[in-house]
Amino acid sequence: MSGRETTERALAVHRLLNSQTSTNGHQLTTGRRFPLPDVHPPRADLVATLARRRSAYDYADRDLELTALSALLRFSVGVQRFVPAFGVSDYPLGMAPSAGGLDVLRAYVVVRKAEQLKPGVYRYEAVSHELVELDDEDPLPALKNVYLQPEFVPRAAVSLALTARLDVAFDKYPLRHYRTVHVDSGLAVQNLYLIATALGLSCCAVSGFDDAALSALLGLPGPEIPTMVFAAGHSE
Ligand SMILES: Cc1cc2nc3c(=O)[nH]c(=O)nc-3n(C[C@H](O)[C@H](O)[C@H](O)COP(=O)(O)O)c2cc1C
C-alpha cells in the first residue's frame, strides 16, 4: 500500500473514532515571521522539577514574557542536534525523541496575551526558532469552541497545540504506526511540562478539545491532525 493510501485509511479511522466527517478546512497563508530571542536554559534539578510538576488551573492575568515563550518552545520542541539522515547532511532532530526520527510533529501557538505578539495564531519553526504568523484575528471566539473546559479560555495566556502529519508518518511506516504519532506527542507534552515547570510557569496538558474546531483555527491541511493542547501562562 502506498503512503498516500495508508494516510487515507488512517484518516478514515481517525474520523470514525472522533465522530468527524471529512473536513476540507481553509488553509491559512503564512504571514510575518517573528524570530524568538536567544535564551539560556533554565537551571533546575531534573528530579526536583519532576516532583514539582503539576497541572495548573490558576494563571496570572498578564502577558506571557517573550523570553519565557522562547525558552518553552526552544527547550521542549526545538532542535537538539543535526545529523546526516534522509539524504541530507543536516537533518534536524528534536529535544524530544520521535519514532524513526521523523519530523512528524508541528507546534502552534495560539496567543491570547503575550509580549510583542498580537493575539492570533502562529506556527513554530523549530530550525530557525521563529514564529510564523498565520492569523491575526482575535482567537478568543474560536478558542471557546476549541476547549471543552471553558475555564481555560480566559486563563491561559497562550495555548500551544501539537499536531501530527500523518502523511510524513505513513510515507515511511505502515498503519500500525498511527499509535507512534500519539506517543511522540506525549513525549513532547512531558518536555513542555518539565520546561514550563523549570521556568516557573503554570501549565496543563489538555486532550479535551474539539478536533474540528482546532483544525479550523490552525488551518490544518487534511493529513495533519491535532493531537494535544497545552495551556500555559505565568503563575499567580
Ligand atoms: C494526555 C493528557 C491529557 C489531559 N487532558 C486534560 C484535560 O483535557 N483537561 C484537564 O483539565 N486536564 C487534563 N490533563 C491533566 C491531568 O488531569 C493531570 O495530569 C492529572 O490529573 C494529574 O495531575 P498532575 O498533572 O498535577 O500531576 C491531561 C493530562 C494528560 C497527560
Side-chain angles (χ1 to χ4, degrees), residues 53-55 57 149 152 193 204-208 228:
R53 186 210 54 79
R54 298 283 183 284
S55 297
Y57 299 91
Q149 290 161 279
F152 282 114
Y193 260 123
C204 188
V206 180
S207 55
M228 280 300 289

Side-chain angles (χ1 to χ4, degrees), residues 69-99:
L69 178 60
S70 179
L72 180 61
L73 292 166
R74 173 68 188 84
F75 302 117
S76 303
V77 290
V79 175
Q80 190 212 52
R81 66 191 194 279
F82 293 92
V83 295
F86 303 112
V88 295
S89 58
D90 49 1
Y91 182 84
L93 290 176
M95 294 297 280
S98 70

Side-chain angles (χ1 to χ4, degrees), residues 107-182:
Y108 294 79
V109 185
V110 182
V111 171
R112 187 177 68 83
K113 271 177 173 246
E115 268 180 10
Q116 297 179 39
L117 293 169
K118 278 181 62 181
V121 179
Y122 301 80
R123 190 178 63 232
Y124 178 54
E125 298 283 327
V127 172
S128 55
H129 191 51
E130 290 177 318
L131 290 176
V132 178
E133 188 179 65
L134 298 176
D135 195 344
D136 61 2
E137 293 273 309
D138 178 6
L140 221 60
L143 275 178
K144 288 179 183 160
N145 296 321
V146 167
Y147 280 111
L148 302 186
Q149 290 161 279
E151 60 268 28
F152 282 114
V153 178
R155 292 185 191 173
V158 300
S159 302
L160 307 190
L162 298 177
T163 66
R165 293 185 298 161
L166 297 185
D167 49 341
V168 175
F170 297 126
D171 272 349
K172 177 135 196 250
Y173 290 125
L175 200 48
R176 69 183 291 280
H177 279 266
Y178 177 75
R179 69 189 76 177
T180 58
V181 302
H182 300 287

Side-chain angles (χ1 to χ4, degrees), residues 7-24 166 178 211 221-225:
T7 301
E8 283 307 319
R9 279 200 181 190
L11 281 170
V13 174
H14 177 74
R15 289 187 195 115
L16 196 66
L17 291 172
N18 292 283
S19 309
Q20 268 183 277
T21 50
S22 172
T23 47
N24 277 322
L166 297 185
Y178 177 75
D211 289 88
E224 187 172 343
I225 60 166

